[in-house]
Amino acid sequence: MGYAAIRWLLGIRAFTFKLSLQVKLILSFVFVIFIPVILFSWYTLNEESAKAMEELTKNSENVLAVEKINIENNMELMGWTGQLALSNREMNNYLQIEQIQDTARVLHIKNDVVNNFQYFLFNNPRIANVRLFTDNHYVNEIWPVILQESRIQDKTWHDEVMKQSGSPWWEIQDNVALTDAPSEPSPNEPFMTYLQEFKYADNRAHNGILEISMKLSNFFSRTFSSVQDMNSQLIVVARNGQVFSLRASPVFGRHSAEQLMNSVNLTSNTDYETVQFKVDGQSYLAFQSYIPSIDVHLVNMVSLADTIEVINHSKVRYIVLISLLVVFLILLSYSMQAIILRRLKALRESMQQIRSGNFNVGLPPITGTDEVGELGFHYRELILKINELIQEQAARQAAGKEAELRALKNQIDSHFLYNTLENVRMLAEIEGQYLISDIMISLGGMMRYSMEWKRDHVMLSDEIQQVQHYVSVMNIRYDGRLDLRLSIAPECLKQESLKMSLQPAVENAIKHGMRCMHSSDGDLVITISAVRRDQACIIEIADSGCGIPEETLGLLNRMLRMEESAYQDVRQLFVRKDNQDSNGIGLRNVDQRFVMSYGAEYGIQIESQEGSYTRIVMTLPYRVMGEGVDIYD
């Protein structure tokens, strides 16, 4: 999102903040109704447009399908006529003569063969002309059926027909008239011609070319029909790009067929393809299909003027209806909200007086069980509570002074205790009691670390030092049989840890490990290790005690994350069984602190092997603490 867009959104937000609550409610009420109406109208208009386009597509495909059927029928008729012409034995014998014929023979051919041939072939009035062009110089021309091939050798299609080797060739010609032929058809009307090479009886040498003509208006009967849809018109595009259509169609009222076809990209796809385009602001829809057998494109050109006009009328109708609906909603919303907001205005006036310092203002008579009535009730209770709190403030100030004095006294007591321990340490050193001196140092460090709780998170090295002090003190009790071993990776020394999180685990190790010692020398080895694994820090506290039975181990691990009620029930079982409070409550508290600080995927896991060891595994996110700030790796 650009800077300008952000400024625009902030401007809208600032403007809406200045509006009154009533205006905001009216706008929200209108938008809640207005947006669905707009979406529904948009969907309905799209559906109408899609339905109209679907109907146009269906009609155009039907028109193209009907015209294709007409074309296939005419092609079949002309092909059948060509087969009849080439299968006439007497006509073929005459075309293949090898000597000059006498006049009587020629007259016989004209009167008996050609006339019967014409009568038989011209049974269908759609056939305009059937001509046989031969290159046999012994054949006399008999108009208008038998002609010399030299008359058509300059035609552009002559060479193409010869390349077909006897296969039909279809050609659209502007006229089929020959020179010096008074009875030829009008040269101004185009024809579809069926052209085919025929050969001598031995099928080795070229004998001539058969031509069958049909008026284009008959061949494409649907295209040139006078009964047409006012908004659509078929167009025939020949292989040379020439356009044929009914010029008087209303579709070509503003633009000619050639102008419209300039915007259509013709393809060789025999399926139906649709192209929508505009010419001088006028929209058109072209449905095209390619007919490879005659190498022409058939296009149904549809004018969208009437369709777009109907859609525009629908748009205007919807806009008028939506506008009337918005006006009605605004009036309705204003009248309804004026009743609701009247009580809120009374509350606002009362609040303004209280803000000025007048707490003896009369409370507004806000009634009702709705939200506004409930707000008025709580407002009255608030005023009473404020007056009560004002009266209690003086007593609280006195109590605060007393608390400050008590805190100062506690601070003095703490300093007194630290100073006393320091004096005892100095006396022990003077007397040569260095063991007592070391104990006082450890005890003082423990007390200072635990009592000065300024923050919850400390470095792991601080926690290790606290454990070292604790083990030193506990070694007094156990005659030095506690052996603390450390294996801390350098990158974990500044690892963030919760304060007092290691000592409960060490306490459990000493408490339970010393109770059932199995080592030969009687020493309890406690090992603390810390390593980094990916984005986590793994801290392990292991002891060489007697371990935990497998059933008890599983229960202890489940107790770490139990619900409080279930945990208390299980805890009572441990108390009755061991006759002491040995239920891992310290580890549970540490685990819960880990979960609260870092998430449920972090915390404590207890591992043990009965008769061998017990190990507490703490998983923390790897976070390095710096000087006063945390550095997240």
PDB file of all heavy atoms in Angstrom, residues 504-505 508 555-568 571 583-596 603-604 606 616:
ATOM      1  N   PRO A 504      15.563 -25.902  43.063  1.00  0.00           N
ATOM      2  CA  PRO A 504      14.617 -26.963  43.443  1.00  0.00           C
ATOM      3  C   PRO A 504      15.015 -28.329  42.906  1.00  0.00           C
ATOM      4  O   PRO A 504      14.833 -29.345  43.586  1.00  0.00           O
ATOM      5  CB  PRO A 504      13.289 -26.491  42.838  1.00  0.00           C
ATOM      6  CG  PRO A 504      13.422 -25.008  42.769  1.00  0.00           C
ATOM      7  CD  PRO A 504      14.859 -24.748  42.453  1.00  0.00           C
ATOM      8  N   ALA A 505      15.575 -28.396  41.694  1.00  0.00           N
ATOM      9  CA  ALA A 505      16.009 -29.683  41.145  1.00  0.00           C
ATOM     10  C   ALA A 505      17.190 -30.239  41.927  1.00  0.00           C
ATOM     11  O   ALA A 505      17.265 -31.444  42.198  1.00  0.00           O
ATOM     12  CB  ALA A 505      16.362 -29.514  39.661  1.00  0.00           C
ATOM     13  N   ASN A 508      15.938 -31.617  45.248  1.00  0.00           N
ATOM     14  CA  ASN A 508      15.357 -32.954  45.097  1.00  0.00           C
ATOM     15  C   ASN A 508      16.444 -34.010  44.942  1.00  0.00           C
ATOM     16  O   ASN A 508      16.356 -35.117  45.494  1.00  0.00           O
ATOM     17  CB  ASN A 508      14.436 -32.982  43.871  1.00  0.00           C
ATOM     18  CG  ASN A 508      13.051 -32.467  44.219  1.00  0.00           C
ATOM     19  OD1 ASN A 508      12.781 -32.126  45.360  1.00  0.00           O
ATOM     20  ND2 ASN A 508      12.174 -32.396  43.226  1.00  0.00           N
ATOM     21  N   LEU A 555       4.210 -41.380  36.688  1.00  0.00           N
ATOM     22  CA  LEU A 555       3.253 -40.570  37.436  1.00  0.00           C
ATOM     23  C   LEU A 555       3.821 -39.199  37.747  1.00  0.00           C
ATOM     24  O   LEU A 555       3.130 -38.176  37.654  1.00  0.00           O
ATOM     25  CB  LEU A 555       2.860 -41.306  38.728  1.00  0.00           C
ATOM     26  CG  LEU A 555       1.808 -40.614  39.598  1.00  0.00           C
ATOM     27  CD1 LEU A 555       0.533 -40.375  38.814  1.00  0.00           C
ATOM     28  CD2 LEU A 555       1.533 -41.431  40.855  1.00  0.00           C
ATOM     29  N   LEU A 556       5.112 -39.145  38.103  1.00  0.00           N
ATOM     30  CA  LEU A 556       5.739 -37.849  38.400  1.00  0.00           C
ATOM     31  C   LEU A 556       5.726 -36.940  37.175  1.00  0.00           C
ATOM     32  O   LEU A 556       5.484 -35.730  37.283  1.00  0.00           O
ATOM     33  CB  LEU A 556       7.174 -38.070  38.889  1.00  0.00           C
ATOM     34  CG  LEU A 556       7.326 -38.622  40.312  1.00  0.00           C
ATOM     35  CD1 LEU A 556       8.784 -38.907  40.605  1.00  0.00           C
ATOM     36  CD2 LEU A 556       6.752 -37.637  41.338  1.00  0.00           C
ATOM     37  N   ASN A 557       6.016 -37.498  35.989  1.00  0.00           N
ATOM     38  CA  ASN A 557       6.006 -36.675  34.774  1.00  0.00           C
ATOM     39  C   ASN A 557       4.605 -36.162  34.463  1.00  0.00           C
ATOM     40  O   ASN A 557       4.427 -35.029  34.022  1.00  0.00           O
ATOM     41  CB  ASN A 557       6.542 -37.477  33.579  1.00  0.00           C
ATOM     42  CG  ASN A 557       8.062 -37.472  33.520  1.00  0.00           C
ATOM     43  OD1 ASN A 557       8.683 -36.415  33.605  1.00  0.00           O
ATOM     44  ND2 ASN A 557       8.657 -38.659  33.404  1.00  0.00           N
ATOM     45  N   ARG A 558       3.591 -37.001  34.720  1.00  0.00           N
ATOM     46  CA  ARG A 558       2.227 -36.529  34.482  1.00  0.00           C
ATOM     47  C   ARG A 558       1.814 -35.473  35.489  1.00  0.00           C
ATOM     48  O   ARG A 558       1.040 -34.559  35.171  1.00  0.00           O
ATOM     49  CB  ARG A 558       1.246 -37.710  34.528  1.00  0.00           C
ATOM     50  CG  ARG A 558       1.418 -38.677  33.365  1.00  0.00           C
ATOM     51  CD  ARG A 558       0.239 -39.633  33.273  1.00  0.00           C
ATOM     52  NE  ARG A 558       0.101 -40.465  34.461  1.00  0.00           N
ATOM     53  CZ  ARG A 558       0.707 -41.615  34.647  1.00  0.00           C
ATOM     54  NH1 ARG A 558       1.538 -42.085  33.700  1.00  0.00           N
ATOM     55  NH2 ARG A 558       0.527 -42.330  35.741  1.00  0.00           N
ATOM     56  N   MET A 559       2.309 -35.555  36.703  1.00  0.00           N
ATOM     57  CA  MET A 559       1.939 -34.583  37.745  1.00  0.00           C
ATOM     58  C   MET A 559       2.417 -33.180  37.406  1.00  0.00           C
ATOM     59  O   MET A 559       1.840 -32.189  37.874  1.00  0.00           O
ATOM     60  CB  MET A 559       2.524 -35.023  39.095  1.00  0.00           C
ATOM     61  CG  MET A 559       1.835 -36.250  39.705  1.00  0.00           C
ATOM     62  SD  MET A 559       2.668 -36.824  41.208  1.00  0.00           S
ATOM     63  CE  MET A 559       2.425 -35.411  42.283  1.00  0.00           C
ATOM     64  N   LEU A 560       3.473 -33.085  36.589  1.00  0.00           N
ATOM     65  CA  LEU A 560       3.997 -31.748  36.255  1.00  0.00           C
ATOM     66  C   LEU A 560       2.956 -30.900  35.542  1.00  0.00           C
ATOM     67  O   LEU A 560       2.930 -29.670  35.710  1.00  0.00           O
ATOM     68  CB  LEU A 560       5.249 -31.890  35.370  1.00  0.00           C
ATOM     69  CG  LEU A 560       6.467 -32.552  36.018  1.00  0.00           C
ATOM     70  CD1 LEU A 560       7.559 -32.719  34.994  1.00  0.00           C
ATOM     71  CD2 LEU A 560       6.970 -31.707  37.200  1.00  0.00           C
ATOM     72  N   ARG A 561       2.087 -31.526  34.720  1.00  0.00           N
ATOM     73  CA  ARG A 561       1.119 -30.757  33.923  1.00  0.00           C
ATOM     74  C   ARG A 561      -0.332 -31.098  34.284  1.00  0.00           C
ATOM     75  O   ARG A 561      -1.238 -30.793  33.527  1.00  0.00           O
ATOM     76  CB  ARG A 561       1.352 -31.037  32.431  1.00  0.00           C
ATOM     77  CG  ARG A 561       2.733 -30.651  31.895  1.00  0.00           C
ATOM     78  CD  ARG A 561       2.872 -29.166  31.726  1.00  0.00           C
ATOM     79  NE  ARG A 561       4.226 -28.781  31.347  1.00  0.00           N
ATOM     80  CZ  ARG A 561       4.640 -28.575  30.103  1.00  0.00           C
ATOM     81  NH1 ARG A 561       3.805 -28.731  29.109  1.00  0.00           N
ATOM     82  NH2 ARG A 561       5.884 -28.194  29.861  1.00  0.00           N
ATOM     83  N   MET A 562      -0.552 -31.710  35.454  1.00  0.00           N
ATOM     84  CA  MET A 562      -1.924 -32.044  35.860  1.00  0.00           C
ATOM     85  C   MET A 562      -2.712 -30.797  36.231  1.00  0.00           C
ATOM     86  O   MET A 562      -2.143 -29.761  36.603  1.00  0.00           O
ATOM     87  CB  MET A 562      -1.897 -32.996  37.071  1.00  0.00           C
ATOM     88  CG  MET A 562      -1.671 -34.449  36.751  1.00  0.00           C
ATOM     89  SD  MET A 562      -1.796 -35.446  38.272  1.00  0.00           S
ATOM     90  CE  MET A 562      -1.534 -37.075  37.597  1.00  0.00           C
ATOM     91  N   GLU A 563      -4.068 -30.933  36.131  1.00  0.00           N
ATOM     92  CA  GLU A 563      -4.926 -29.911  36.707  1.00  0.00           C
ATOM     93  C   GLU A 563      -4.729 -29.891  38.221  1.00  0.00           C
ATOM     94  O   GLU A 563      -4.352 -30.901  38.830  1.00  0.00           O
ATOM     95  CB  GLU A 563      -6.386 -30.194  36.364  1.00  0.00           C
ATOM     96  CG  GLU A 563      -6.724 -30.107  34.892  1.00  0.00           C
ATOM     97  CD  GLU A 563      -6.619 -28.693  34.381  1.00  0.00           C
ATOM     98  OE1 GLU A 563      -6.732 -27.760  35.212  1.00  0.00           O
ATOM     99  OE2 GLU A 563      -6.406 -28.508  33.165  1.00  0.00           O
ATOM    100  N   GLU A 564      -5.013 -28.750  38.841  1.00  0.00           N
ATOM    101  CA  GLU A 564      -4.691 -28.558  40.254  1.00  0.00           C
ATOM    102  C   GLU A 564      -5.440 -29.551  41.137  1.00  0.00           C
ATOM    103  O   GLU A 564      -4.871 -30.126  42.076  1.00  0.00           O
ATOM    104  CB  GLU A 564      -5.026 -27.123  40.676  1.00  0.00           C
ATOM    105  CG  GLU A 564      -4.609 -26.765  42.087  1.00  0.00           C
ATOM    106  CD  GLU A 564      -3.094 -26.844  42.285  1.00  0.00           C
ATOM    107  OE1 GLU A 564      -2.350 -26.648  41.302  1.00  0.00           O
ATOM    108  OE2 GLU A 564      -2.666 -27.099  43.427  1.00  0.00           O
ATOM    109  N   SER A 565      -6.719 -29.785  40.827  1.00  0.00           N
ATOM    110  CA  SER A 565      -7.504 -30.697  41.671  1.00  0.00           C
ATOM    111  C   SER A 565      -6.958 -32.119  41.587  1.00  0.00           C
ATOM    112  O   SER A 565      -6.811 -32.813  42.603  1.00  0.00           O
ATOM    113  CB  SER A 565      -8.973 -30.669  41.241  1.00  0.00           C
ATOM    114  OG  SER A 565      -9.095 -31.038  39.881  1.00  0.00           O
ATOM    115  N   ALA A 566      -6.657 -32.586  40.380  1.00  0.00           N
ATOM    116  CA  ALA A 566      -6.099 -33.933  40.222  1.00  0.00           C
ATOM    117  C   ALA A 566      -4.721 -34.025  40.861  1.00  0.00           C
ATOM    118  O   ALA A 566      -4.369 -35.043  41.472  1.00  0.00           O
ATOM    119  CB  ALA A 566      -6.018 -34.290  38.728  1.00  0.00           C
ATOM    120  N   TYR A 567      -3.938 -32.958  40.765  1.00  0.00           N
ATOM    121  CA  TYR A 567      -2.601 -32.967  41.358  1.00  0.00           C
ATOM    122  C   TYR A 567      -2.670 -33.106  42.882  1.00  0.00           C
ATOM    123  O   TYR A 567      -1.890 -33.867  43.492  1.00  0.00           O
ATOM    124  CB  TYR A 567      -1.867 -31.685  40.969  1.00  0.00           C
ATOM    125  CG  TYR A 567      -0.581 -31.481  41.748  1.00  0.00           C
ATOM    126  CD1 TYR A 567       0.555 -32.226  41.456  1.00  0.00           C
ATOM    127  CD2 TYR A 567      -0.519 -30.551  42.788  1.00  0.00           C
ATOM    128  CE1 TYR A 567       1.722 -32.056  42.177  1.00  0.00           C
ATOM    129  CE2 TYR A 567       0.647 -30.360  43.506  1.00  0.00           C
ATOM    130  CZ  TYR A 567       1.761 -31.119  43.202  1.00  0.00           C
ATOM    131  OH  TYR A 567       2.919 -30.947  43.909  1.00  0.00           O
ATOM    132  N   GLN A 568      -3.615 -32.394  43.501  1.00  0.00           N
ATOM    133  CA  GLN A 568      -3.731 -32.467  44.954  1.00  0.00           C
ATOM    134  C   GLN A 568      -4.115 -33.880  45.402  1.00  0.00           C
ATOM    135  O   GLN A 568      -3.624 -34.362  46.432  1.00  0.00           O
ATOM    136  CB  GLN A 568      -4.768 -31.447  45.449  1.00  0.00           C
ATOM    137  CG  GLN A 568      -4.342 -29.993  45.248  1.00  0.00           C
ATOM    138  CD  GLN A 568      -3.091 -29.640  46.043  1.00  0.00           C
ATOM    139  OE1 GLN A 568      -2.760 -30.285  47.055  1.00  0.00           O
ATOM    140  NE2 GLN A 568      -2.375 -28.615  45.569  1.00  0.00           N
ATOM    141  N   ARG A 571      -1.031 -36.005  45.078  1.00  0.00           N
ATOM    142  CA  ARG A 571      -0.037 -35.584  46.074  1.00  0.00           C
ATOM    143  C   ARG A 571      -0.323 -36.234  47.431  1.00  0.00           C
ATOM    144  O   ARG A 571       0.601 -36.654  48.139  1.00  0.00           O
ATOM    145  CB  ARG A 571      -0.068 -34.057  46.185  1.00  0.00           C
ATOM    146  CG  ARG A 571       0.901 -33.505  47.214  1.00  0.00           C
ATOM    147  CD  ARG A 571       0.718 -32.020  47.348  1.00  0.00           C
ATOM    148  NE  ARG A 571       1.531 -31.479  48.415  1.00  0.00           N
ATOM    149  CZ  ARG A 571       1.446 -30.229  48.852  1.00  0.00           C
ATOM    150  NH1 ARG A 571       0.579 -29.399  48.315  1.00  0.00           N
ATOM    151  NH2 ARG A 571       2.220 -29.812  49.834  1.00  0.00           N
ATOM    152  N   ASN A 583       6.641 -34.832  46.997  1.00  0.00           N
ATOM    153  CA  ASN A 583       5.744 -34.936  45.851  1.00  0.00           C
ATOM    154  C   ASN A 583       6.184 -34.110  44.652  1.00  0.00           C
ATOM    155  O   ASN A 583       5.427 -33.937  43.722  1.00  0.00           O
ATOM    156  CB  ASN A 583       4.335 -34.478  46.256  1.00  0.00           C
ATOM    157  CG  ASN A 583       4.385 -33.179  47.034  1.00  0.00           C
ATOM    158  OD1 ASN A 583       4.858 -32.184  46.509  1.00  0.00           O
ATOM    159  ND2 ASN A 583       3.940 -33.201  48.287  1.00  0.00           N
ATOM    160  N   GLY A 584       7.412 -33.576  44.662  1.00  0.00           N
ATOM    161  CA  GLY A 584       7.886 -32.817  43.500  1.00  0.00           C
ATOM    162  C   GLY A 584       7.173 -31.502  43.275  1.00  0.00           C
ATOM    163  O   GLY A 584       7.065 -31.051  42.137  1.00  0.00           O
ATOM    164  N   ILE A 585       6.654 -30.878  44.320  1.00  0.00           N
ATOM    165  CA  ILE A 585       5.933 -29.624  44.133  1.00  0.00           C
ATOM    166  C   ILE A 585       6.849 -28.525  43.622  1.00  0.00           C
ATOM    167  O   ILE A 585       6.447 -27.661  42.847  1.00  0.00           O
ATOM    168  CB  ILE A 585       5.235 -29.200  45.448  1.00  0.00           C
ATOM    169  CG1 ILE A 585       4.326 -27.991  45.185  1.00  0.00           C
ATOM    170  CG2 ILE A 585       6.268 -28.904  46.542  1.00  0.00           C
ATOM    171  CD1 ILE A 585       3.450 -27.651  46.350  1.00  0.00           C
ATOM    172  N   GLY A 586       8.144 -28.592  44.055  1.00  0.00           N
ATOM    173  CA  GLY A 586       9.081 -27.572  43.567  1.00  0.00           C
ATOM    174  C   GLY A 586       9.288 -27.679  42.071  1.00  0.00           C
ATOM    175  O   GLY A 586       9.299 -26.666  41.356  1.00  0.00           O
ATOM    176  N   LEU A 587       9.454 -28.899  41.555  1.00  0.00           N
ATOM    177  CA  LEU A 587       9.617 -29.083  40.112  1.00  0.00           C
ATOM    178  C   LEU A 587       8.353 -28.679  39.364  1.00  0.00           C
ATOM    179  O   LEU A 587       8.424 -28.119  38.265  1.00  0.00           O
ATOM    180  CB  LEU A 587       9.963 -30.537  39.813  1.00  0.00           C
ATOM    181  CG  LEU A 587      11.316 -31.035  40.338  1.00  0.00           C
ATOM    182  CD1 LEU A 587      11.524 -32.489  39.952  1.00  0.00           C
ATOM    183  CD2 LEU A 587      12.449 -30.171  39.802  1.00  0.00           C
ATOM    184  N   ARG A 588       7.179 -28.977  39.905  1.00  0.00           N
ATOM    185  CA  ARG A 588       5.928 -28.575  39.258  1.00  0.00           C
ATOM    186  C   ARG A 588       5.834 -27.059  39.141  1.00  0.00           C
ATOM    187  O   ARG A 588       5.449 -26.514  38.104  1.00  0.00           O
ATOM    188  CB  ARG A 588       4.745 -29.139  40.038  1.00  0.00           C
ATOM    189  CG  ARG A 588       3.372 -28.659  39.541  1.00  0.00           C
ATOM    190  CD  ARG A 588       2.276 -29.273  40.374  1.00  0.00           C
ATOM    191  NE  ARG A 588       1.000 -28.612  40.154  1.00  0.00           N
ATOM    192  CZ  ARG A 588       0.144 -28.939  39.197  1.00  0.00           C
ATOM    193  NH1 ARG A 588       0.446 -29.905  38.346  1.00  0.00           N
ATOM    194  NH2 ARG A 588      -1.019 -28.301  39.067  1.00  0.00           N
ATOM    195  N   ASN A 589       6.216 -26.347  40.198  1.00  0.00           N
ATOM    196  CA  ASN A 589       6.184 -24.883  40.158  1.00  0.00           C
ATOM    197  C   ASN A 589       7.144 -24.343  39.099  1.00  0.00           C
ATOM    198  O   ASN A 589       6.818 -23.404  38.354  1.00  0.00           O
ATOM    199  CB  ASN A 589       6.527 -24.308  41.533  1.00  0.00           C
ATOM    200  CG  ASN A 589       5.433 -24.558  42.554  1.00  0.00           C
ATOM    201  OD1 ASN A 589       4.272 -24.786  42.183  1.00  0.00           O
ATOM    202  ND2 ASN A 589       5.773 -24.533  43.832  1.00  0.00           N
ATOM    203  N   VAL A 590       8.347 -24.937  39.028  1.00  0.00           N
ATOM    204  CA  VAL A 590       9.311 -24.485  38.023  1.00  0.00           C
ATOM    205  C   VAL A 590       8.775 -24.743  36.619  1.00  0.00           C
ATOM    206  O   VAL A 590       8.882 -23.895  35.718  1.00  0.00           O
ATOM    207  CB  VAL A 590      10.669 -25.185  38.241  1.00  0.00           C
ATOM    208  CG1 VAL A 590      11.632 -24.844  37.101  1.00  0.00           C
ATOM    209  CG2 VAL A 590      11.267 -24.762  39.575  1.00  0.00           C
ATOM    210  N   ASP A 591       8.186 -25.931  36.415  1.00  0.00           N
ATOM    211  CA  ASP A 591       7.643 -26.256  35.091  1.00  0.00           C
ATOM    212  C   ASP A 591       6.536 -25.274  34.699  1.00  0.00           C
ATOM    213  O   ASP A 591       6.464 -24.821  33.548  1.00  0.00           O
ATOM    214  CB  ASP A 591       7.100 -27.682  35.097  1.00  0.00           C
ATOM    215  CG  ASP A 591       6.580 -28.098  33.744  1.00  0.00           C
ATOM    216  OD1 ASP A 591       7.389 -28.338  32.826  1.00  0.00           O
ATOM    217  OD2 ASP A 591       5.344 -28.168  33.589  1.00  0.00           O
ATOM    218  N   GLN A 592       5.680 -24.933  35.665  1.00  0.00           N
ATOM    219  CA  GLN A 592       4.602 -23.990  35.363  1.00  0.00           C
ATOM    220  C   GLN A 592       5.147 -22.605  35.050  1.00  0.00           C
ATOM    221  O   GLN A 592       4.621 -21.892  34.183  1.00  0.00           O
ATOM    222  CB  GLN A 592       3.631 -23.929  36.547  1.00  0.00           C
ATOM    223  CG  GLN A 592       2.807 -25.200  36.715  1.00  0.00           C
ATOM    224  CD  GLN A 592       1.852 -25.115  37.899  1.00  0.00           C
ATOM    225  OE1 GLN A 592       1.976 -24.237  38.767  1.00  0.00           O
ATOM    226  NE2 GLN A 592       0.902 -26.043  37.948  1.00  0.00           N
ATOM    227  N   ARG A 593       6.228 -22.213  35.705  1.00  0.00           N
ATOM    228  CA  ARG A 593       6.852 -20.919  35.392  1.00  0.00           C
ATOM    229  C   ARG A 593       7.439 -20.930  33.977  1.00  0.00           C
ATOM    230  O   ARG A 593       7.342 -19.947  33.243  1.00  0.00           O
ATOM    231  CB  ARG A 593       7.949 -20.606  36.425  1.00  0.00           C
ATOM    232  CG  ARG A 593       7.417 -20.301  37.827  1.00  0.00           C
ATOM    233  CD  ARG A 593       8.566 -20.151  38.810  1.00  0.00           C
ATOM    234  NE  ARG A 593       9.421 -19.026  38.463  1.00  0.00           N
ATOM    235  CZ  ARG A 593      10.655 -18.848  38.905  1.00  0.00           C
ATOM    236  NH1 ARG A 593      11.194 -19.768  39.704  1.00  0.00           N
ATOM    237  NH2 ARG A 593      11.359 -17.796  38.538  1.00  0.00           N
ATOM    238  N   PHE A 594       8.040 -22.056  33.589  1.00  0.00           N
ATOM    239  CA  PHE A 594       8.569 -22.179  32.228  1.00  0.00           C
ATOM    240  C   PHE A 594       7.440 -22.043  31.198  1.00  0.00           C
ATOM    241  O   PHE A 594       7.574 -21.347  30.188  1.00  0.00           O
ATOM    242  CB  PHE A 594       9.261 -23.529  32.050  1.00  0.00           C
ATOM    243  CG  PHE A 594      10.655 -23.568  32.613  1.00  0.00           C
ATOM    244  CD1 PHE A 594      11.238 -24.778  32.971  1.00  0.00           C
ATOM    245  CD2 PHE A 594      11.381 -22.406  32.795  1.00  0.00           C
ATOM    246  CE1 PHE A 594      12.518 -24.828  33.491  1.00  0.00           C
ATOM    247  CE2 PHE A 594      12.661 -22.446  33.329  1.00  0.00           C
ATOM    248  CZ  PHE A 594      13.239 -23.649  33.674  1.00  0.00           C
ATOM    249  N   VAL A 595       6.333 -22.733  31.457  1.00  0.00           N
ATOM    250  CA  VAL A 595       5.211 -22.694  30.504  1.00  0.00           C
ATOM    251  C   VAL A 595       4.652 -21.285  30.388  1.00  0.00           C
ATOM    252  O   VAL A 595       4.348 -20.797  29.289  1.00  0.00           O
ATOM    253  CB  VAL A 595       4.124 -23.690  30.939  1.00  0.00           C
ATOM    254  CG1 VAL A 595       2.861 -23.521  30.087  1.00  0.00           C
ATOM    255  CG2 VAL A 595       4.643 -25.117  30.824  1.00  0.00           C
ATOM    256  N   MET A 596       4.509 -20.594  31.528  1.00  0.00           N
ATOM    257  CA  MET A 596       3.962 -19.240  31.505  1.00  0.00           C
ATOM    258  C   MET A 596       4.896 -18.272  30.797  1.00  0.00           C
ATOM    259  O   MET A 596       4.457 -17.333  30.129  1.00  0.00           O
ATOM    260  CB  MET A 596       3.693 -18.760  32.936  1.00  0.00           C
ATOM    261  CG  MET A 596       2.568 -19.519  33.644  1.00  0.00           C
ATOM    262  SD  MET A 596       2.344 -19.001  35.367  1.00  0.00           S
ATOM    263  CE  MET A 596       1.944 -17.277  35.136  1.00  0.00           C
ATOM    264  N   GLY A 603       9.793 -26.701  29.149  1.00  0.00           N
ATOM    265  CA  GLY A 603       9.505 -27.115  30.519  1.00  0.00           C
ATOM    266  C   GLY A 603      10.448 -28.213  30.981  1.00  0.00           C
ATOM    267  O   GLY A 603      11.598 -28.303  30.534  1.00  0.00           O
ATOM    268  N   ILE A 604       9.946 -29.078  31.881  1.00  0.00           N
ATOM    269  CA  ILE A 604      10.767 -30.072  32.574  1.00  0.00           C
ATOM    270  C   ILE A 604      10.319 -31.470  32.189  1.00  0.00           C
ATOM    271  O   ILE A 604       9.113 -31.727  32.037  1.00  0.00           O
ATOM    272  CB  ILE A 604      10.665 -29.869  34.106  1.00  0.00           C
ATOM    273  CG1 ILE A 604      11.366 -28.572  34.504  1.00  0.00           C
ATOM    274  CG2 ILE A 604      11.269 -31.049  34.866  1.00  0.00           C
ATOM    275  CD1 ILE A 604      11.251 -28.256  35.971  1.00  0.00           C
ATOM    276  N   ILE A 606      11.356 -35.566  33.527  1.00  0.00           N
ATOM    277  CA  ILE A 606      12.113 -36.355  34.501  1.00  0.00           C
ATOM    278  C   ILE A 606      12.485 -37.687  33.844  1.00  0.00           C
ATOM    279  O   ILE A 606      11.623 -38.389  33.315  1.00  0.00           O
ATOM    280  CB  ILE A 606      11.300 -36.598  35.778  1.00  0.00           C
ATOM    281  CG1 ILE A 606      10.830 -35.262  36.379  1.00  0.00           C
ATOM    282  CG2 ILE A 606      12.118 -37.384  36.795  1.00  0.00           C
ATOM    283  CD1 ILE A 606       9.912 -35.423  37.573  1.00  0.00           C
ATOM    284  N   ILE A 616      16.983 -34.609  35.616  1.00  0.00           N
ATOM    285  CA  ILE A 616      15.963 -33.594  35.325  1.00  0.00           C
ATOM    286  C   ILE A 616      16.415 -32.854  34.059  1.00  0.00           C
ATOM    287  O   ILE A 616      17.490 -32.253  34.033  1.00  0.00           O
ATOM    288  CB  ILE A 616      15.784 -32.599  36.482  1.00  0.00           C
ATOM    289  CG1 ILE A 616      15.535 -33.351  37.805  1.00  0.00           C
ATOM    290  CG2 ILE A 616      14.648 -31.637  36.168  1.00  0.00           C
ATOM    291  CD1 ILE A 616      14.300 -34.192  37.802  1.00  0.00           C
TER     292      ILE A 616
END
